[in-house]
Amino acid sequence: MRERDGEGAAERRAGTADSEAEGAGIAESGPVVPGAAGEGHALDWARLLASGGLGEARLGERATLVQFSTAFCQPCRATRRVLDQVAGLVPGVTHVEIDAEDHLGLVRAAGIDATPTVLFLDAEGRETRRASGAPHRDQVLAALARML
């Protein structure tokens, strides 16, 4: 597992279209998103991260990008680079990467069906969005802008 904290220069895009985020498969969590928090998969991410159950990973001050990956997943590597970059650009945003193979119980509890899957958590650790597949940087920034 890896963690990145965005304490660098603030480069946020204002007024990005919601369609950018939706185009990446980034959807708001709720009853219409299979496996999302609204369908019984609500996890207490704040407590899980604070407990040390995922190593040194902690919630970001403003948001946390939780990435589920596997070792041989090529799109997971691209997603890691994008999320690390976003965490470096947006203050208070943290990227946490979870190896799905090492945390199968968490994968099931979170309703993760494929890797990479990215959960967007707010400052309190509530899942607000999720994305399956490798999103582009602009799509992640648009989704974050909508939730921040």
Side-chain angles (χ1 to χ4, degrees), residues 15-144:
T16 54
D18 292 340
S19 61
E20 285 185 42
E22 291 167 3
I26 300 174
E28 287 188 50
S29 290
V32 297
V33 180
E39 290 196 349
H41 294 288
L43 293 172
D44 188 347
W45 285 101
R47 190 175 75 187
L48 181 64
L49 291 170
S51 73
L54 294 173
E56 297 297 317
R58 297 290 180 260
L59 279 178
E61 186 178 304
R62 298 175 66 203
T64 305
L65 304 170
V66 177
Q67 176 186 351
F68 285 88
S69 300
T70 54
F72 297 103
C73 168
Q74 183 62 35
C76 295
R77 292 181 205 134
T79 299
R80 177 185 313 121
R81 286 189 299 272
V82 166
L83 299 181
D84 279 349
Q85 184 179 43
V86 169
L89 291 173
V90 183
V93 173
T94 299
H95 171 218
V96 175
E97 186 172 358
I98 298 172
D99 186 319
E101 295 170 350
D102 290 342
H103 296 87
L104 290 176
L106 184 55
V107 166
R108 287 185 201 101
I112 305 301
D113 296 325
T115 59
T117 294
V118 179
L119 308 182
F120 290 73
L121 308 180
D122 65 14
E124 288 77 39
R126 291 182 302 254
E127 180 184 334
T128 61
R129 306 175 125 26
R130 68 171 49 198
S132 293
H136 295 280
R137 184 184 84 150
D138 290 344
Q139 295 165 325
V140 175
L141 289 170
L144 278 173

